[in-house]
Amino acid sequence: FSPEFDQTVSVQPDGYVTLRGAKQLVAEGATVPELEAAIGRAYTGVLRDPEVTIALQDFDKPYFIVGGEVNHPAKYELRSDISVTEAVAIAGGLTPRAKHSQIVLFRHVSDDLVESHLLDVKEIMKSRTLAEDIRLKPGDFLFVPQNLISKIKQYLPTSSMSMYASPTQF
């Protein structure tokens, strides 16, 4: 009924929404009906019998991040219940330089505390039992480090390596 108050707003990182002609409201953690009621109360001094309708356009989807020595490091949507080995496969698999035996899973326990799990994916795949394969939760970060050979390889002269790699030269 009052198109000048029609607006599209986003929930800010601090959890608040800024409304035209009213004060800021806390939107974080509120359901759509709770937020409609709160906005209606915020406009009671400005509008008579305000009617509020909220149409949720987008929301922050659950995600996980895979970084380090995988073929496609990125942020991925967590659309279903997946494990660490499945997440590595989604990220394109491990590169030849990856250290399969020391993949690190970082998980937020609270805003200030992060726990880490050291996983031996090579052993998990070798044993063919996925009992030790941890299920991911929203916000998890997997890091695949480089193996030792690829770390020191950049410091070795490649011309001298051919002598050892190809004994037919002698």
Side-chain angles (χ1 to χ4, degrees):
F1 305 114
S2 300
E4 64 272 12
F5 288 101
D6 290 351
Q7 54 193 305
T8 300
V9 297
S10 296
V11 179
Q12 299 167 7
D14 61 359
Y16 285 86
V17 291
T18 304
L19 302 171
R20 191 177 308 130
K23 61 181 180 169
Q24 283 190 336
L25 287 175
V26 178
E28 182 179 28
T31 63
V32 171
E34 291 170 347
L35 194 54
E36 286 176 342
I39 291 172
R41 286 190 301 273
Y43 279 113
T44 52
V46 179
L47 300 170
R48 190 175 69 179
D49 298 326
E51 287 188 27
V52 178
T53 303
I54 295 177
L56 185 62
Q57 292 181 341
D58 198 11
F59 61 95
D60 193 15
K61 297 165 184 71
Y63 67 91
F64 65 95
I65 299 170
V66 184
E69 294 300 320
V70 291
N71 287 308
H72 305 291
K75 179 179 178 180
Y76 295 93
E77 285 186 27
L78 186 60
R79 296 184 181 185
S80 62
D81 184 34
I82 65 169
S83 66
V84 169
T85 54
E86 291 168 330
V88 168
I90 289 170
L94 300 169
T95 67
R97 301 176 348 173
K99 189 165 193 171
H100 303 70
S101 61
Q102 291 187 352
I103 294 178
V104 185
L105 169 64
F106 295 101
R107 177 171 288 162
H108 286 276
V109 177
S110 66
D111 289 340
D112 301 331
L113 188 62
V114 176
E115 67 181 13
S116 62
H117 301 274
L118 191 61
L119 302 168
D120 187 348
V121 172
K122 186 176 185 179
E123 186 61 34
I124 290 171
M125 298 306 286
K126 186 174 150 187
S127 69
R128 296 188 183 137
T129 60
L130 300 178
E132 295 176 21
D133 199 4
I134 296 175
R135 310 310 278 176
L136 293 184
K137 292 185 178 179
D140 282 354
F141 172 54
L142 282 173
F143 179 72
V144 181
Q146 274 185 314
N147 60 28
L148 183 62
I149 300 287
S150 65
K151 284 181 185 177
I152 62 172
K153 185 178 180 181
Q154 62 184 334
Y155 300 109
L156 295 176
T158 54
S159 60
S160 64
M161 289 297 290
S162 64
M163 177 174 67
Y164 300 109
S166 179
T168 57
Q169 290 179 338
F170 299 110

